[in-house]
Amino acid sequence: MNKPVLTIVVPCFNEEEVLAETSAQLSSVLLELMEELLISLDSKILFVDDGSRDRTWELIEVENERNPNIRGLKLARNVGHQNALLAGLETAAKHSDCVISIDADLQDDITVIHQFIEKFWEGQDIVYGVRDSRETDTYFKRTTALGFYRMMERIGIKLVPNHADFRLMSKRALDELLKYKETNLFLRGLVPLVGFKSTKVYYDRKERFAGESKYPLKKMLAFAFDGMTSFSVAPIRFVTFIGFLAVLISAIAAGYAITQELLGHTESGWTSLIISIWFVGGLQMLGIGIIGEYIGKIYHEVKRRPRYAVEKDLYTNILEVKQQSEAVIN
């Protein structure tokens, strides 16, 4: 078996504080893998700039000029982490035998990349990086994360618990993933749908090297809700169940009121009436909101707009020039 060409895809958004250190550490791992003859000398690291407003792209260009293993992809605007990651995966899929995706903040343990490659040599098409524990998280984040995975499992969405986007995919697995053309991306849910042989590698997550998290609570909640509504109609069914329950309670209350009227025990019920109106009105608004969320997703899907636009490509262009040069020499 020939040594596989590996591309490490790193989506970046305002990561000027960590980019140089990330580049240095990943380059060191890449060189070690080359020296151990586990990957091809043509293997690269691809940084994807997701419309950063700081000096991220300038630093990527500097690293590209200084290090032959560094490549860059600059998107024309900010399209979000999942679309930026997909842009890198699509670009790398054309010239790679396997691809590893990892965030730029160095929280994921890059030393387990060796284990990823070893599993790939053993015939695994997908290798998931899974957190061994969440002890470094706050109690709130740990509890909500575990609750999210349990809820997703209960409504029939197969996820890998405690796995983010730190994974290896073989070329054939990546090619299958790229056949999914939906606009509402939730890669953590899509990758398990691909199938093929897969395994897990466990590691301890570190503290962020520098800078601030790009996923505050608001974004985390939106991301979780997107994942839920992209893969299941359970929320709509839940609203239907609540609506049925409200009708049932209303029927029981109506029967009780009629009974009291017949027995001559009627009393003024202004408070209970107002509470009932607010309760039913709240259920209606909740139902309309959830249904509207699904309609909004349909609206985005049917437009079929491009998920991203590439402004500068320091990966494909350089490889094409190299291939043309080699063809002329041969």
Side-chain angles (χ1 to χ4, degrees):
M1 179 178 177
N2 295 329
K3 292 186 287 296
V5 176
L6 166 68
T7 299
I8 301 177
V9 176
V10 189
C12 306
F13 178 65
N14 295 340
E15 298 288 5
E16 65 176 358
E17 297 180 57
V18 301
L19 198 134
E21 183 65 23
T22 301
S23 175
Q25 292 194 26
L26 288 177
S27 295
S28 177
V29 171
L30 202 69
L31 290 174
E32 289 175 7
L33 291 170
M34 291 178 181
E35 291 172 356
E36 295 172 13
L37 303 180
L38 291 174
I39 60 174
S40 168
L41 296 177
D42 292 326
S43 299
K44 305 296 178 191
I45 300 168
L46 175 60
F47 288 101
V48 182
D49 179 21
D50 184 22
S52 298
R53 296 186 293 269
D54 60 5
R55 297 177 56 249
T56 295
W57 179 249
E58 295 177 29
L59 295 175
I60 292 174
E61 289 183 312
V62 170
E63 294 294 332
N64 171 251
E65 293 175 0
R66 186 168 55 188
N67 188 336
N69 296 323
I70 301 295
R71 294 290 184 265
L73 190 71
K74 179 176 174 58
L75 304 185
R77 64 181 181 87
N78 178 253
V79 294
H81 178 271
Q82 296 291 278
N83 283 313
L85 176 55
L86 185 72
L89 295 177
E90 286 185 325
T91 302
K94 304 171 187 175
H95 308 283
S96 308
D97 298 307
C98 57
V99 175
I100 292 176
S101 57
I102 185 172
D103 289 339
D105 55 19
L106 294 177
Q107 287 189 276
D108 296 316
D109 186 1
I110 63 174
T111 62
V112 302
I113 290 178
H114 282 79
Q115 296 181 50
F116 282 14
I117 299 300
E118 290 171 1
K119 297 296 183 183
F120 174 76
W121 275 96
E122 293 171 6
Q124 301 292 338
D125 286 288
I126 304 173
V127 184
Y128 298 102
V130 179
R131 297 179 63 172
D132 202 21
S133 68
R134 305 190 72 101
E135 294 179 358
T136 57
D137 289 344
T138 62
Y139 175 79
F140 174 78
K141 187 173 182 178
R142 182 167 59 250
T143 304
T144 53
L146 294 176
F148 169 71
Y149 287 118
R150 289 196 185 102
M151 180 181 64
M152 295 293 268
E153 182 180 5
R154 180 158 299 196
I155 63 178
I157 302 175
K158 295 183 179 180
L159 297 180
V160 178
N162 295 321
H163 163 71
D165 288 301
F166 184 30
R167 70 178 76 89
L168 176 145
M169 298 188 71
S170 68
K171 180 173 176 56
R172 70 168 182 167
L174 186 53
D175 288 341
E176 288 300 317
L177 174 66
L178 297 179
K179 291 179 181 178
Y180 291 80
K181 299 300 182 182
E182 56 249 56
T183 301
N184 302 289
L185 277 178
F186 186 65
L187 293 175
R188 300 178 198 183
L190 285 178
V191 173
L193 292 180
V194 170
F196 296 126
K197 293 180 65 176
S198 65
T199 188
K200 303 172 185 176
V201 171
Y202 293 89
Y203 68 97
D204 291 321
R205 207 157 192 247
K206 305 176 182 178
E207 294 294 330
R208 183 180 176 87
F209 179 78
E212 299 179 352
S213 172
K214 305 305 183 297
Y215 266 91
L217 179 61
K218 181 180 178 181
K219 280 192 175 182
M220 288 176 62
L221 292 175
F223 185 65
F225 190 68
D226 279 343
M228 189 181 352
T229 54
S230 293
F231 284 85
S232 175
V233 295
I236 291 181
R237 290 176 178 169
F238 177 73
V239 171
T240 302
F241 171 75
I242 293 296
F244 174 78
L245 191 62
V247 171
L248 181 62
I249 293 173
S250 300
I252 294 173
Y256 174 78
I258 293 172
T259 302
Q260 292 294 92
E261 174 70 22
L262 294 175
L263 295 176
H265 300 306
T266 57
E267 296 179 3
S268 59
W270 183 87
T271 302
S272 60
L273 178 63
I274 292 299
I275 291 175
S276 300
I277 292 173
W278 285 355
F279 176 68
V280 174
L283 287 178
Q284 290 175 335
M285 294 299 293
L286 175 64
I288 292 171
I290 292 178
I291 294 171
E293 182 71 23
Y294 280 92
I295 293 173
K297 287 185 178 295
I298 295 171
Y299 171 69
H300 285 296
E301 292 290 344
V302 299
K303 288 188 294 185
R304 309 304 297 171
R305 289 179 178 173
R307 288 177 285 202
Y308 60 87
V310 176
E311 183 175 333
K312 293 183 181 179
D313 186 348
L314 300 179
Y315 184 92
T316 307
N317 295 342
I318 293 175
L319 287 176
E320 288 177 351
V321 170
K322 180 181 177 182
Q323 291 170 356
Q324 290 173 2
S325 300
E326 291 176 348
V328 170
I329 293 174
N330 295 332

